Amino acid sequence: MGISPSPSNPKIIRTAARMAKAFGGLLVGLYVETPNAEKRSQEDKKRLKENIHLAEQLGAKIETVCGDDIFLIAEYARNSGISKIVTGRSVPSQSFFHKPTFTDKLAAYAPDIDIYIIPDNKMEKEKQKLRRSMDHTMTIKNMLSALVCCFFQL
């Protein structure tokens, strides 16, 4: 499982621990220390420490790799004989062109490893709220367009 300062990371850690127990496997928490790790806020540093502690309490062996390339995670998993990766859902790009997400890239680098993606309910709720807002906007826009068309046909 991936260890990070993300607020949703405890859910991922707990899910991975339950999965490791169910599959009879070893639980490994992998923390990727990026070059900008020192620039993290005090809150993020504290949350990361808490997430590492939680993983250790649940029986995880904590490993750290340094870098900022997703390839490191796939390479570590392959070299360590890891068969399953548990990670959080990455936020898709909002640009016109679809850029591969973290999980897309990880799946490409590690095609023989099962990847379990744990949703972040808070992020899902925000996306649903945005969709409803957009649906509502589109409905009003469509209604206004229909009214304008009706007035011009008179």
Side-chain angles (χ1 to χ4, degrees), residues 34-47:
T34 61
N36 61 356
E38 290 302 315
K39 296 177 185 174
R40 285 197 174 117
S41 69
Q42 285 303 106
E43 183 181 344
D44 277 354
K45 289 177 183 178
K46 180 179 180 256
R47 202 176 309 117

Side-chain angles (χ1 to χ4, degrees), residues 33-121:
E33 188 170 318
T34 61
N36 61 356
E38 290 302 315
K39 296 177 185 174
R40 285 197 174 117
S41 69
Q42 285 303 106
E43 183 181 344
D44 277 354
K45 289 177 183 178
K46 180 179 180 256
R47 202 176 309 117
L48 175 63
K49 189 175 181 178
E50 290 169 354
N51 291 342
I52 289 172
H53 182 68
L54 173 62
E56 288 173 332
Q57 282 182 316
L58 295 174
K61 173 185 170 194
I62 305 299
E63 296 289 342
T64 303
V65 293
C66 297
D68 60 0
D69 194 340
I70 296 169
F71 180 74
L72 286 171
I73 298 168
E75 194 64 22
Y76 176 85
R78 258 193 305 280
N79 291 338
S80 301
I82 290 174
S83 61
K84 294 166 184 32
I85 296 175
V86 181
T87 186
R89 183 175 312 243
S90 35
V91 180
S93 170
Q94 296 299 319
S95 68
F96 180 71
F97 298 104
H98 171 72
K99 294 171 89 175
T101 63
F102 167 82
T103 48
D104 292 336
K105 291 176 187 175
L106 185 57
Y109 287 137
D112 297 334
I113 297 175
D114 297 338
I115 300 173
Y116 296 88
I117 302 167
I118 309 306
D120 179 353
N121 293 336

